[in-house]
Amino acid sequence: MSTRQPARSDAPYDLVVVGGGSAGYAAARTGVSLGLKTAVVDGADRLGGLCILRGCMPTKTLLESAHRMHEIARAGEFGLRVGRPKADVPAIVRRKDRLIAEFADYRRGQLERGSFDLHRGTARFTGPHVLAVTRGKKVWEVRGKTFVIAAGSEVAIPE
């Protein structure tokens, strides 16, 4: 995987976005559209973010299969004769995985080929305008005037 590094790492960015998920990508794209020198820092193993990889999109694909099955089961109300629907759960999961992989690949491409610099590593603030970005044993600084924290969320399972 190739990611572009800035020509001068000491040159501050106008905008640095921490997180390359849906919100982070939207923030970076907006920054670029406003003429800001922009960078995205993302340390996840897979680019795409929570919504694409584990949240909204997987849930919506599974719900759509459930909705379709429900509507097929009600076909008789509309004068349609169909057999009793049966869910093929492995096929449903394969469809979900395929759709999520396709969209995650698309988002990864948007991030890697965007009009901003992409830094692959975890970020932590070391000063008001400085991030230390770490990937493996390599550590570098990313400086910025303004920061957007779009580092996602965690799933909370109620007791």
Side-chain angles (χ1 to χ4, degrees):
M1 167 181 13
S2 67
T3 56
R4 292 178 291 126
Q5 295 295 325
R8 290 182 31 213
S9 61
D10 61 332
Y13 290 97
D14 299 312
L15 177 66
V16 177
V17 180
V18 178
S22 297
Y25 174 71
R29 192 182 67 222
T30 300
V32 168
S33 74
L34 295 171
L36 303 176
K37 183 177 178 187
T38 303
V40 173
V41 179
D42 192 295
D45 292 334
R46 289 180 61 201
L47 289 172
L50 176 70
C51 180
I52 293 171
L53 298 174
R54 296 178 306 282
C56 312
M57 293 187 70
T59 300
K60 288 177 181 178
T61 63
L62 296 174
L63 284 172
E64 183 60 25
S65 292
H67 290 153
R68 300 265 175 137
M69 186 166 167
H70 176 72
E71 291 303 315
I72 291 167
R74 295 182 57 218
E77 295 175 32
F78 300 91
L80 303 172
R81 290 188 196 154
V82 296
R84 182 179 170 110
K86 184 176 187 301
D88 181 348
V89 175
I92 291 170
V93 171
R94 282 192 305 274
R95 175 182 177 270
K96 183 241 341 154
D97 290 345
R98 179 181 49 79
L99 292 172
I100 298 315
E102 288 171 3
F103 200 85
D105 287 346
Y106 178 70
R107 176 54 48 82
R108 186 182 71 242
Q110 289 176 311
L111 287 165
E112 291 177 348
R113 293 184 298 278
S115 299
F116 45 79
D117 293 322
L118 175 62
H119 296 268
R120 296 287 286 129
T122 57
R124 68 179 173 83
F125 281 97
T126 57
H129 296 281
V130 182
L131 290 175
V133 179
T134 305
R135 183 165 182 113
K137 294 182 180 182
K138 184 178 177 185
V139 180
W140 64 98
E141 284 188 348
V142 173
R143 298 174 176 273
K145 295 177 185 173
T146 304
F147 294 83
V148 172
I149 309 300
S153 59
E154 290 183 14
V155 173
I157 300 173
E159 294 180 18

